[in-house]
Amino acid sequence: MAFADLLRGLAALVVVLGHFTILYLEGAPAVATLIMAEPIATVPFPAAVDAAYSVFNLAWIGVAVFFLISGFVILLSLDGAGS
């Protein structure tokens, strides 16, 4: 069960990092509009990172892994509660 919690925590961290890189580094003008602040300069991704992101969208993978492990943990806890 500890391994599932660790994997779920890593998945949540990947989601947070995915949101940070997309929203705050590339989408800075949109964030500035939402919080009514001056926009900062966008930070372009290196070509290798951009190519890897187009193949492996880590934020989406993190969400899928998080919910998959959460469902597994819920089923295990229900199984243990009945005995």
Side-chain angles (χ1 to χ4, degrees):
M1 192 75 139
F3 178 72
D5 287 336
L6 176 69
L7 190 58
R8 193 166 56 152
L10 287 175
L13 183 64
V14 165
V15 171
V16 168
L17 289 174
H19 283 111
F20 175 77
T21 56
I22 296 305
L23 286 177
Y24 296 106
L25 295 181
E26 275 197 341
V31 173
T33 302
L34 287 174
I35 63 172
M36 296 180 208
E38 289 292 320
I40 61 171
T42 58
V43 178
F45 287 127
V49 173
D50 207 21
Y53 185 77
S54 66
V55 175
F56 302 107
N57 187 338
L58 290 181
W60 284 87
I61 293 171
V63 169
V65 169
F66 179 81
F67 282 115
L68 182 72
I69 298 296
S70 295
F72 179 72
V73 168
I74 289 170
L75 285 176
L76 281 180
S77 65
L78 288 176
D79 185 43
S83 51

